[in-house]
Amino acid sequence: MMDVLMSWISTLYAVLAVAPFITFVLLWFLVFYFLRDKKMTTRLTMDVTTFFLLGSVSLMWNRLFHTNFGFWMIALVLLIAFGIIGGYQTHLKGKTDLLKVSRVVWRLSFLGLSMLYILLFFVHIGKNYIFST
């Protein structure tokens, strides 16, 4: 039973991570149908889509550079960003609000991973076009 559930969840994740921008649009309309608040819908959809972008970008990185370090590199960059932003907030206010820092890092990672996804997508197309032998 547990194997079937894990297989179903991993298949669902793989399908949604293949095209995270389509997932973003579908989720946005689905969430907006229930919440009716554009600002909250966009933020929530960005947060969920970041989860799919993480897997997609790390897989594209691994395939392009023939490595298994893609996910760990992204995790390292997120941890460094968390430390820098948290340190800056501590310097400004004297204390760190971990929830705010987490939100900022997670939403900035949406922007960064989106740009990296587009870049890697076109690099893959170019690589396959040039080396199509």
Side-chain angles (χ1 to χ4, degrees), residues 55-73:
S56 184
V57 168
S58 66
L59 180 68
M60 289 171 73
W61 183 274
N62 290 344
R63 296 283 169 103
L64 185 63
F65 296 110
H66 305 288
T67 183
N68 291 326
F69 188 65
F71 175 78
W72 299 111
M73 182 190 62

Side-chain angles (χ1 to χ4, degrees), residues 20-126:
F21 293 110
I22 294 171
T23 303
F24 178 85
V25 172
L26 292 175
L27 280 174
W28 194 93
F29 284 112
L30 182 70
V31 172
F32 183 73
Y33 178 77
F34 291 107
L35 295 181
R36 299 286 183 208
D37 182 8
K38 288 183 181 181
K39 191 174 182 180
M40 186 183 295
T41 297
T42 303
R43 289 179 178 169
L44 182 62
T45 308
M46 281 174 57
D47 292 342
V48 173
T49 305
T50 303
F51 182 67
F52 296 116
L53 278 167
L54 211 141
S56 184
V57 168
S58 66
L59 180 68
M60 289 171 73
W61 183 274
N62 290 344
R63 296 283 169 103
L64 185 63
F65 296 110
H66 305 288
T67 183
N68 291 326
F69 188 65
F71 175 78
W72 299 111
M73 182 190 62
I74 294 170
L76 178 64
V77 169
L78 292 178
L79 286 171
I80 290 170
F82 187 88
I84 290 171
I85 294 171
Y88 182 69
Q89 187 183 53
T90 302
H91 178 72
L92 282 180
K93 298 184 178 184
K95 62 178 182 173
T96 303
D97 185 359
L98 295 177
L99 187 60
K100 278 187 179 181
V101 174
S102 299
R103 278 192 205 133
V104 168
V105 170
W106 194 248
R107 293 196 178 132
L108 284 175
S109 68
F110 172 80
L111 295 174
L113 289 172
S114 296
M115 289 186 285
L116 199 55
Y117 178 86
I118 292 168
L119 176 70
L120 291 174
F121 183 78
F122 285 117
V123 168
H124 270 283
I125 289 174

Side-chain angles (χ1 to χ4, degrees), residues 8-28:
W8 186 81
I9 290 172
S10 65
T11 302
L12 179 66
Y13 178 82
V15 167
L16 293 174
V18 166
F21 293 110
I22 294 171
T23 303
F24 178 85
V25 172
L26 292 175
L27 280 174
W28 194 93

